[in-house]
Structures are given as C-alpha cells and as structure tokens.
Amino acid sequence: MSATKTKERKIVISPVTRVEGHGKVTIRLDEKGKVDQARFHIVEFRGFERFAQGRFYWEMPVIIQRLCGICPVSHHLAAAKATDLIVGVDQLSPTAEKMRRLMHLGQTFQSHALHFFHLASPDLLLGFDADPKIRNVIGVALKHPDLVKMAILMRKYGQEVIKATAGKKVHGTAAIPGGINKNLSVPERDELKKDIGQMLEWSVAGLNLLKKFYHDDIKRMSGFAAFDSNHLSIVAPDGRFDLYDGNLRAKDAAGKLIFDQVKNADYYKVIQEEVRSWSYMKFPFIKSLGPEKGWYRVGPLARVNNCDYMDAPLAEKERQEFMKLGEGRLVNATMAYHWARLIELLYSAEKIQELLNDKDLQGTELVREARHRGHPRRDQQEPVGSGARRAQEGHRPDAGVVGGGAQLIEEVLPRRHQAHVRLRRLRLQPPLHRGPGRPLRLV
Amino acid sequence: MGAEKAGGRLLVLGWGNPGRRDDGLGPAIIEELARLGIPGVTAESDYQLSLEAAADLAEAEKAVFVDAALEGPEPFEVRRLSPSANISFSTHAFGPESLLAVCEEAYRRAPETLLVGVRGYEFDIAEGLTSGAQANSRAALEFIMRLIQDWKEGRTWQQANWERRS
C-alpha cells in the first residue's frame, strides 16, 4: 500500500491479493481526510467481441474460453450454448447435457476449492492482521499441512473431472455446437468414482471449518463490508438452484422478487448497461430500478440467496442453515460469500457423485442436428447443424462466420434474435466512451 | 489419484503457452518425451504451474522442470531448485520454487529438482517453434534423457556432469 500526501490524498492498494487476476483499489480522500471516491480496477477490456468477428461460429467455444486460464470451462460452455442457438438445437441429447453439466461441476469444484483454500484461508486461518509475508498458502501449509494437502487434491480432482469431460484440463475442446464430442468412458468414470467419496467428505470438512470460523468471529464476519444489495442469478423453472442453465431471477435485499423466470436470452429486457468515462467496463443494472438503485450482486452469495432449494441433500441442509443468517431477509454480509461458496462446493461434489452413477454419460448420442429457423440459405440446402458435425469430424465448414454481415445474421439466427444482434453489432462500433452516467441503449 | 496414476518416480514437468511461439518449448519437449513412453518416467505439461502439481511432485523421487528462457545461454541452462517461500498471491504466476515450498510444507518432503531453461527467441502470438528453439529443444531433450539414464542407473545428478555435457 502506498499513500501520497497532497491536499487531496489517494490511497492505492495494488495488487488486490484475494482475487485471481490483477486488481487494484484506489481511494481518494478529500481535504478533511474523508473518502471522496473509491474504485476497484480490474483489467476489464479484453476485446473478445472483436476477436470473434469474422471467425467461424463453431470456433467460439474454443476462442472465448481464452478469457481465463482458471475458469475457462464457464466461458467454453457459455459460448457453446450460444452456438447451440445458432444451429437451432434447443434440447441437447441427455449425454451431451450431462457431460457439459459434469464438466461445469468439475470447474466449480476446483475453482471454489482453490479460492477458499488458496486465496481466502490465509486471512481466516492466520488472521487478518498476520504478517503479509506469511499470509499465503505456504504460511497455511506450514501450520496446517493437512488442510493444504486437501486443497491440492481437491483442485486436482476437479481438474481431472474437467480433463475427462473437456478433453484437457485447461482450454478443453469437448463442447461443440449442438452437443459434445466425447462421452465419459467407463475407465474414466471408474477413476473418478474412486475419489468422489473423499471429495465429498473434504467438502463437508471445509464448510465446517468456515462455519466455525464464522461463528467464532460472528461480529466481524457479519459486519465487515456488509451492505444491502439486490441479487441476480439463474434458477431452474421450479426455482431450483442451477449452475449450468436456467432463467433469470432478481431479488432485493429483503428477499422480495424484482423479476423472475426471465429467459436468459431475454436478459436485455430486464438488464441495461451504462458506461462511465473512466472505465472500459460496462455497468449493468436492473432496468426497472435505474442505474443508481439497480446494481446487484452475483456469484455464490446471490445464487444461494435466490434459489428456492438445492437438489442435493447435504447442500440443501446447509443452505437452509445459511439462510437463517439473514433473519428473514437475504444474507447481505460480504464475508458470507465464503460460506455460500463452500455450500456450492458441497453441492458440486454431490452432483458429481450423482452424475458418475448416471449411465447417460456413457451414451452415444453426442450431437443433435436441427434446421435453423431463419430463411433457408440461397446457396446451401444442408442444415446449419451440419457445421457442428463437420467440426466434430475435424473439417472446417465453409459457412457460419460470426459477424460476417447482416445477411448472415438473417440466415443463421432465429428471427426473434435478429434485431438484438444487429443492435449489438452497432454497439461494437467506437467510440467506447460516451460520457459519465449516460446510459447506453441496448434495445 | 496421485502415486498410482503418476506411474513412476521421476517427474518431468514442462510448462508454457504453445500459442506464444517459443514459449511452447516446455510442452513440446514433454510431448516428445511422452511419445517415448519411458518406464518410470511421468511426463506432464501445462500452460503454467499450478497448485495441484505439488501432489505429483510429492510422489516423485526426483523431478526435472522444463521451461522456455527469454534470455541466457544457448541451447539451455540448468539450475538446481530449492523451495522458496517467496510467493505470488495469484496462481496465475506460481513459480517453481514456490511449488516446491508448498510441496515441502504440505508433504514434509520435496524431491531433488533441476530446472532446465531452454533458450527461446520469439514469443509473439503464433504457433510453432522458431528453428533456433527447435535446435535447442533437441539438445535439451538429449540432456534430459541423460538425466533419466543417470537416475535409472543410480548415479547422482552432479553439477559438473551437466556443465560438461551441455
């Protein structure tokens, strides 16, 4: 941390060591030493919208995941889901959907374990005020070697799930338009089954450790950086917790619904974005509440707060206990993110176990084909989904370029998405800065 | 997990990004080594070092790390590594010494480890090694094969040996 003393002072905290990646906090103090402005900076400009233009649509799941080396699976699957729409496949085969779900659960399992044990546990186990030189995973290993071994093997297990489902531990290639290009072989399944019981046990142990820490220091944990907010997440049609797919639900701090069951492709009907002069980031907000009051939390806390139930018995029991923290409202304590994250870790372990016992994962219907729902191509009679088949076979299709022009949008996308895509294309044009506080019209 | 899967007691771990030209030296050498399928040798590669590599390391009798070097001697240089608690907070940049330290603290042991830094020349956004890096990778692979041979025949890894040989 460094501080420069002028009339107005600025405190810079760089790097922020409790998030993966590169973050910075700047706090500007006025002449009286009061906080005038506080900002969290992250490398927000990545340019992927540009990279994607002119590329084949089936390349998207491979390109977009390069956003991150820690959580590529989420981006891989988000891009694959977008290409499902392009090829007109609304419903994947059970094998494809369950393979993708297992892949994503492997991702949340390894990522949540890494976050808690590697990034968060040094603060919790060694103390917020411990010497920064030892307040890291090596410091934790010195005092709690068994805990770090647990963390290493949980992360390793999650990566093995990803490898078995995505083909590679990092930047896999399995999710393709309309499905998946591999199933889970019996040897792969049996290898993963060997350790899932242990993973489940360790997930419970990690959660119990955090709960003990939380209750022992309840005043700080529930008060530190606690603030009311809205919460946004996806939920299944019946309100069930889901990490892979669902409809949008938003609640206010008290738990009152703001909107519910909005189809994820219709997000632009309820969410708007604005830009600020000092950042490339787009600032989303709930349309009906406006930019001042419409901001919201996402991630584990919002997901656990928003859902009606979890279809994993141990995690559901934990969710019910967790929700009592809010005393009838949602849980708005920032430190409760750790708790919610570990409930999701447990959920992931339970669902991985469930899927490993599901024979659909050894099914052979990997990709579904469908006819696109726009106008038929003038120069090509075969279904758009055939591109997926050729991608699977390793051929480069001769059609299906992203950002290739208005004609292509009309030909490839369902009619209901066309206007939106046209506007999004326009929105990619410079200038990126539109002045502070001026909302950007999306639709 | 772990020992059964590691399938051997000498771990050769290479890392780098094959999408950044010669940064792919580590994975390229590991690919060659894996193709040879030497009994007792586990060849692993990744984009970057990660925490879970500590588990493989803990089960190895000895280890060789292979990474591309931005500068330094050609065709490669060899350095003996010791655990170091100097750590970057982020797993985006997890150094080999830090990995050894995590291994040592968590498992109460860390294997003898050499780092082979293979000289690269171009690190721009493209696939494929430059011809200079290809030549260096061949030399490095030969050297690693000799280390494997020494290990198999029970000879120690002496600095004098690799200085003479490289």
Side-chain angles (χ1 to χ4, degrees), chain A residues 232-382:
Chain A
L232 178 88
S233 69
I234 54 167
V235 289
D238 66 345
R240 174 173 43 81
F241 177 87
D242 203 323
L243 291 165
Y244 171 74
D245 197 22
N247 299 324
L248 294 169
R249 171 181 280 181
K251 286 183 178 177
D252 68 13
K256 195 173 146 232
L257 278 172
I258 301 168
F259 55 75
D260 196 13
Q261 299 301 337
V262 175
K263 290 200 179 310
N264 52 38
D266 290 339
Y267 74 93
Y268 58 92
K269 293 179 180 167
V270 288
I271 303 291
Q272 196 169 331
E273 292 169 329
E274 63 167 338
V275 291
R276 305 270 168 95
S277 62
W278 48 272
S279 173
Y280 283 111
M281 199 181 89
K282 286 168 278 184
F283 290 72
F285 60 90
I286 295 166
K287 244 182 186 178
S288 61
L289 298 178
E292 289 301 319
K293 291 185 175 167
W295 53 274
Y296 49 85
R297 278 180 165 122
V298 293
L301 186 62
R303 289 192 291 256
V304 174
N305 264 328
N306 269 0
C307 72
D308 296 337
Y309 73 102
M310 287 174 148
D311 60 338
L314 297 176
E316 170 59 11
K317 203 164 147 265
E318 295 293 342
R319 185 196 68 83
Q320 288 177 15
E321 183 186 333
F322 174 80
M323 292 308 289
K324 288 181 188 154
L325 277 180
E327 296 172 340
R329 307 172 84 234
L330 297 191
V331 181
N332 286 288
T334 299
M335 295 304 278
Y337 260 100
H338 291 312
W339 191 332
R341 187 175 289 112
L342 291 179
I343 293 173
E344 289 193 347
L345 179 79
L346 178 58
Y347 166 89
S348 301
E350 284 185 277
K351 296 303 275 185
I352 289 171
Q353 188 174 46
E354 182 185 311
L355 282 172
L356 289 177
N357 288 310
D358 191 326
K359 287 192 172 17
D360 278 344
L361 285 161
Q362 281 77 51
T364 53
E365 189 194 1
L366 302 182
V367 182
R368 282 191 173 162
E369 293 184 7
R371 285 194 175 274
H372 68 79
R373 287 158 288 202
H375 301 292
R377 286 183 63 89
R378 281 182 289 275
D379 58 346
Q380 198 179 336
Q381 293 305 309
E382 60 182 318

Side-chain angles (χ1 to χ4, degrees), chain B residues 3-154:
Chain B
E4 313 84 64
K5 268 181 21 185
R9 291 181 302 150
L10 179 74
L11 173 70
V12 188
L13 179 63
W15 64 91
N17 183 353
R20 299 295 298 267
R21 279 267 181 205
D22 295 348
D23 194 41
L25 267 163
I29 290 168
I30 295 302
E31 199 181 320
E32 284 298 312
L33 199 62
R35 216 192 309 274
L36 298 172
I38 305 165
V41 174
T42 305
E44 291 273 357
S45 72
D46 211 336
Y47 286 97
Q48 61 195 24
L49 282 179
S50 54
L51 191 64
E52 67 270 22
D56 295 330
L57 208 51
E59 287 152 5
E61 186 191 325
K62 293 192 182 201
V64 180
F65 289 169
V66 193
D67 190 14
L70 289 165
E71 50 193 27
E74 295 164 319
F76 59 85
E77 66 177 328
V78 185
R79 195 154 55 88
R80 195 181 292 277
L81 294 180
S82 308
S84 163
N86 283 332
I87 188 170
S88 156
F89 69 90
S90 166
T91 56
H92 276 94
F94 204 53
E97 288 99 341
S98 305
L99 185 67
L100 280 172
V102 170
C103 180
E104 186 169 62
E105 299 303 347
Y107 293 91
R108 300 292 179 238
R109 75 169 294 272
E112 179 187 356
T113 304
L114 295 184
L115 172 67
V116 182
V118 190
R119 178 67 196 275
Y121 304 96
E122 287 179 25
F123 294 85
D124 50 338
I125 299 172
E127 289 183 331
L129 301 178
T130 58
S131 56
Q134 280 177 29
N136 294 348
S137 80
R138 283 192 292 274
L141 184 62
E142 270 177 40
F143 172 69
I144 292 165
M145 294 297 292
R146 287 200 295 267
L147 287 178
I148 293 169
Q149 202 58 34
D150 283 349
W151 167 71
K152 283 197 156 188
E153 291 169 11

Side-chain angles (χ1 to χ4, degrees), chain A residues 13-128:
Chain A
I13 304 167
S14 177
V16 176
T17 57
R18 294 304 178 252
V19 291
E20 279 291 352
H22 315 280
K24 182 170 87 169
V25 171
T26 55
I27 303 164
R28 206 168 69 193
L29 306 174
D30 65 15
E31 291 167 14
K32 290 175 188 158
K34 296 219 161 153
V35 175
D36 177 43
Q37 180 192 78
R39 280 176 181 164
F40 176 46
H41 310 255
I42 214 107
V43 182
E44 68 272 37
F45 182 72
R46 307 297 301 275
F48 274 71
E49 294 93 337
R50 283 285 181 195
F51 299 159
Q53 284 181 20
R55 309 292 308 196
F56 294 111
Y57 71 86
W58 56 266
E59 290 181 311
M60 292 304 111
V62 181
I63 292 176
I64 302 302
Q65 65 176 335
R66 301 277 165 158
L67 275 162
C68 184
I70 304 291
C71 58
V73 170
S74 310
H75 304 294
H76 179 57
L77 292 177
K81 284 168 71 176
T83 60
D84 294 340
L85 284 178
I86 291 175
V87 300
V89 174
D90 291 323
Q91 183 62 54
L92 300 177
S93 72
T95 302
E97 180 168 335
K98 287 174 184 176
M99 279 294 284
R100 287 192 189 179
R101 282 181 175 275
L102 182 58
M103 193 194 305
H104 200 219
L105 290 164
Q107 158 69 27
T108 35
F109 187 79
Q110 67 85 11
S111 178
H112 283 4
L114 185 77
H115 185 278
F116 179 65
F117 293 105
H118 186 100
L119 296 176
S121 79
D123 288 337
L124 304 179
L125 299 173
L126 305 177
F128 288 93

